[in-house]
Amino acid sequence: MDSSDGWDVLTHAGELARRGEAFALATVVWRQGPSSGKQGCRAIITAEGELRGWIGGACAEPAVIREARQALVEGTPRLLLLGSLEQFGAAVPEGMTVVPISCQSEGALEVYIEPVQPVPHLVVVGRSPMAHTLVELAGSLGWHAQLVEHTELDAVTERSFVVVATQGHHDEESVERALAARPAYVGLVGSRRRGASVLGYLADRGVPGDELDRVQVPAGLDLGSVSHREIAVAILAELVRIRAARGVPPGSPGQVEAAAVDPVCGMTVEVDDPVVFEGHEYSFCCAGCRAAFLRDPGAYAKKESRC
């Protein structure tokens, strides 16, 4: 793949962004030959670890995928230097992450990984001035904000924030429909008394209690007696706080699998079907390294280290 093929990767990245899916974009910014990765090569790595594009061969791919998934978890970009430690010595710039790989080509790569999280999706049910203000405010933050009727909740996903502001018109139906989609947040605009009535009705209809406990009533931070438009500010402030407290937007991956260093070749690998020797687990990049270790484990065991 030459660098021009990377444009197809960017097209796919745009499609994922429009669908609201998290992914990381990896770009080769430097290479030391002989290496199959070339400057300008790009790849997309999804939260599940699927790679589309090209950034290098079998040695580089697992390391880039693992680091890309971790970047999604942490929400921060990173610059990787892939190769053997002997190649770089003390010449590694500050802030760069060295990932040991051991390829027969003895090439090296520098890869920039940028996590791309979907923008928050806000669905406001209702047509009041407050509802319009909330959508406008969220839009000014770059959020994907929609104003819908109580019958138009099909677009709600597990990443969505749903605010029911129907003001006594179809409150119960709106909350029940929203909960069925299992969004990240459901809030009801109204008094605590009104909220208790809505939730009590839904409980009588058989909606599970743990689902009803997810409904925030009243929606928004408690600012006391404020205007309808100020209520919109209070609700958006609560949503921003929830999103920030989670660190990672809803739907992003959890912890990335543990990694280890192949004791034979020094390559960073995922922990997969490890060999146990003297109480320690050892993982390998290939069948050859595994066989070499099994022939004489004592010769390699001292090199083992966990990442």
Side-chain angles (χ1 to χ4, degrees):
M1 171 180 176
D2 58 38
S3 59
S4 63
D5 292 331
W7 294 112
D8 294 334
V9 172
L10 294 181
T11 299
H12 184 56
E15 294 172 355
L16 291 177
R18 283 190 291 274
R19 295 205 299 262
E21 297 182 26
F23 63 92
L25 179 64
T27 305
V28 177
V29 295
W30 172 85
R31 68 181 287 269
Q32 175 180 292
S35 174
S36 57
K38 303 295 189 293
Q39 284 177 263
C41 285
R42 299 185 181 94
I44 287 171
I45 299 93
T46 67
E48 293 73 28
E50 178 185 353
L51 183 144
R52 175 167 177 170
W54 180 259
I55 38 78
C59 292
E61 265 194 15
V64 171
I65 290 173
R66 183 178 58 255
E67 293 292 331
R69 296 183 69 197
Q70 191 61 44
L72 280 170
V73 171
E74 298 174 2
T76 55
R78 57 189 63 194
L79 187 59
L80 308 180
L81 192 54
L82 287 79
S84 66
L85 293 175
E86 291 76 13
Q87 288 175 287
F88 311 123
V92 179
E94 184 179 355
M96 186 177 292
T97 302
V98 177
V99 180
I101 64 172
S102 180
C103 295
Q104 293 180 350
S105 68
E106 297 184 350
L109 293 173
E110 194 172 299
V111 181
Y112 180 67
I113 296 178
E114 180 181 9
V116 181
Q117 298 287 0
V119 298
H121 180 217
L122 173 63
V123 178
V124 183
V125 189
R127 296 292 176 179
S128 67
M130 188 286 301
H132 282 275
T133 300
L134 179 55
V135 169
E136 291 171 4
L137 289 173
S140 69
L141 295 181
W143 291 25
H144 175 40
Q146 296 176 279
L147 194 66
V148 303
E149 299 288 352
H150 70 281
T151 57
E152 301 172 337
L153 288 167
D154 296 339
V156 175
T157 70
E158 63 181 10
R159 297 185 178 98
S160 303
F161 295 109
V162 181
V163 176
V164 176
T166 42
Q167 296 185 309
H169 302 285
H170 309 289
D171 289 353
E172 295 83 359
E173 183 178 352
S174 299
V175 171
E176 186 172 12
R177 283 173 176 259
L179 288 173
R182 299 196 62 81
Y185 171 92
V186 179
L188 175 63
V189 179
S191 66
R192 296 186 186 280
R193 182 177 179 181
R194 174 58 185 163
S197 174
V198 170
L199 298 182
Y201 173 83
L202 294 178
D204 291 341
R205 279 180 52 83
V207 178
D210 59 340
E211 288 293 304
L212 297 176
D213 290 342
R214 299 179 58 233
V215 182
Q216 179 66 35
V217 184
L221 301 180
D222 186 3
L223 301 182
S225 180
V226 294
S227 69
H228 288 293
R229 286 184 170 84
E230 289 170 331
I231 291 174
V233 175
I235 294 172
L236 185 58
E238 178 181 58
L239 299 182
V240 169
R241 183 177 67 178
I242 290 172
R243 184 167 181 259
R246 287 175 178 161
V248 180
S252 294
Q255 286 297 316
V256 177
E257 292 85 352
V261 173
D262 186 322
V264 177
C265 67
M267 182 173 172
T268 304
V269 297
E270 291 186 5
V271 176
D272 183 22
D273 190 21
V275 171
V276 179
F277 178 71
E278 294 184 345
H280 295 280
E281 293 184 351
Y282 301 87
S283 295
F284 308 92
C285 71
C286 63
C289 285
R290 185 184 184 92
F293 181 89
L294 291 175
R295 283 194 298 270
D296 187 7
Y300 300 105
K302 62 181 180 179
K303 299 180 181 180
E304 189 274 348
S305 63
R306 280 299 180 105
C307 293

